[in-house]
Amino acid sequence: MKKTALVTGGMRGIGLGISKELAKNGFNLVLCGRRNEDSVSDKMKDFTNYGIKALYCQCDISNANQRKKMLKKITKEFGTLHILINNAGIAPKERKDILEASEESFEELIKINLQGPYFLTQAVANLMIKEKEKNIDFNGSIINISSVSSTMASIKRGEYCISKAGITMATKLWALRLAEYGISVHEIRPGIILTDMTSAVKEKYDTLIKEGLVPMKRWGLPEDIGKTVVAIVKGGISYATGQPIVLDGGLSIEQL
């Protein structure tokens, strides 16, 4: 039986890179995002070329009712979930110094980047626990996509950094709580990744990377994250839980 993975924000950027790698490796997919189904129908057809089942759910993960509706749809279609990838997130609409940033921006980022994933994890974890009680061989996996910004401070997007730091702690909390059920919880911490979210600062970071900001001297790619997700969910890192996997080309290495 193919395992089923839910990838939030799975139709663009890092999420799309994860979705493609999972599809290539035979996992059934549920992808969610805020766009309507008609706008993503062509992309969804691409996934079925890999011989898997793929379902799209329009869902704002910061909305409790929409999360509940999505999980009801998933269980009806697939019975259960084996994998949750908490990837969906946003950057501030405007990068503002923390002396000037608005409360509205802070609230929006926390709800989407932290509160939504936290309570989606709660709901999915309870589904996984019920499945484990029915089937002792069931193995669940939860992966949180955070950022090097969880530890590296950017004073012009403080709300983003705080939301990602919260994901780091949430990973530890859920890892401890779910270990008794054999459900592993991982954090992947990307660095500077080439996506539509970073397109506005591409020229700036092209120069900085060339000058040595990233020791490996290249942008990270969505497939870099996707391949790591596959390694985790296929059991390649089976004795780790609650710990970050940093994919940043050496960016965050402390050096003199």
Side-chain angles (χ1 to χ4, degrees), residues 67-97:
R67 292 194 304 267
K68 186 176 181 180
K69 184 179 178 181
M70 174 177 66
L71 290 179
K72 186 176 181 180
K73 188 175 179 180
I74 292 169
T75 53
K76 183 179 180 180
E77 181 70 24
F78 293 101
T80 192
L81 269 176
H82 302 84
I83 301 152
L84 168 62
I85 315 293
N86 282 311
N87 165 76
I90 61 170
K93 290 174 182 173
E94 293 183 86
R95 291 191 177 203
K96 288 190 174 181
D97 189 291

Side-chain angles (χ1 to χ4, degrees), residues 147-168:
S147 167
V148 290
S149 294
S150 66
T151 59
M152 299 176 76
S154 300
I155 60 172
K156 289 189 176 180
R157 49 182 191 140
E159 62 270 66
Y160 183 81
C161 295
I162 289 170
S163 73
K164 293 303 183 179
I167 288 293
T168 295

Side-chain angles (χ1 to χ4, degrees), residues 1-8 28-31 55 57 67 70-85 120-121 123-132 134 138-142 183:
M1 183 183 74
K2 292 182 186 294
K3 290 186 175 182
T4 302
L6 166 59
V7 185
T8 68
N28 289 329
L29 289 177
V30 182
L31 311 176
L55 174 71
C57 297
R67 292 194 304 267
M70 174 177 66
L71 290 179
K72 186 176 181 180
K73 188 175 179 180
I74 292 169
T75 53
K76 183 179 180 180
E77 181 70 24
F78 293 101
T80 192
L81 269 176
H82 302 84
I83 301 152
L84 168 62
I85 315 293
L120 179 58
T121 298
V124 171
N126 278 300
L127 286 177
M128 290 179 173
I129 289 168
K130 287 180 182 178
E131 191 65 27
K132 186 73 172 181
K134 292 188 294 182
F138 175 85
N139 289 305
S141 182
I142 296 167
I183 300 169

Side-chain angles (χ1 to χ4, degrees), residues 75-224:
T75 53
K76 183 179 180 180
E77 181 70 24
F78 293 101
T80 192
L81 269 176
H82 302 84
I83 301 152
L84 168 62
I85 315 293
N86 282 311
N87 165 76
I90 61 170
K93 290 174 182 173
E94 293 183 86
R95 291 191 177 203
K96 288 190 174 181
D97 189 291
I98 57 175
L99 290 172
E100 301 168 353
S102 70
E103 193 164 340
E104 290 77 16
S105 179
F106 186 95
E107 182 177 356
E108 181 182 35
L109 260 84
I110 293 299
K111 286 197 74 172
I112 293 174
N113 291 8
L114 181 57
Q115 182 175 325
Y118 186 88
F119 286 101
L120 179 58
T121 298
Q122 181 189 69
V124 171
N126 278 300
L127 286 177
M128 290 179 173
I129 289 168
K130 287 180 182 178
E131 191 65 27
K132 186 73 172 181
E133 289 170 349
K134 292 188 294 182
N135 176 11
I136 193 67
D137 294 324
F138 175 85
N139 289 305
S141 182
I142 296 167
I143 302 174
N144 293 324
I145 308 300
S146 65
S147 167
V148 290
S149 294
S150 66
T151 59
M152 299 176 76
S154 300
I155 60 172
K156 289 189 176 180
R157 49 182 191 140
E159 62 270 66
Y160 183 81
C161 295
I162 289 170
S163 73
K164 293 303 183 179
I167 288 293
T168 295
M169 178 51 71
T171 302
K172 295 177 181 180
L173 291 166
W174 287 116
L176 285 172
R177 185 64 185 88
L178 299 177
E180 66 179 284
Y181 302 102
I183 300 169
S184 63
V185 185
H186 298 266
E187 174 193 354
I188 294 179
R189 197 177 288 173
I192 304 168
I193 308 298
L194 189 60
T195 68
D196 54 348
M197 186 181 286
T198 54
S199 60
V201 291
K202 184 177 184 303
E203 188 175 339
K204 170 188 172 182
Y205 280 104
D206 280 344
T207 301
L208 290 172
I209 291 170
K210 187 177 180 180
E211 291 174 349
L213 176 66
V214 177
M216 291 186 74
K217 293 190 176 179
R218 72 167 176 90
W219 283 82
L221 301 173
E223 52 262 42
D224 291 322

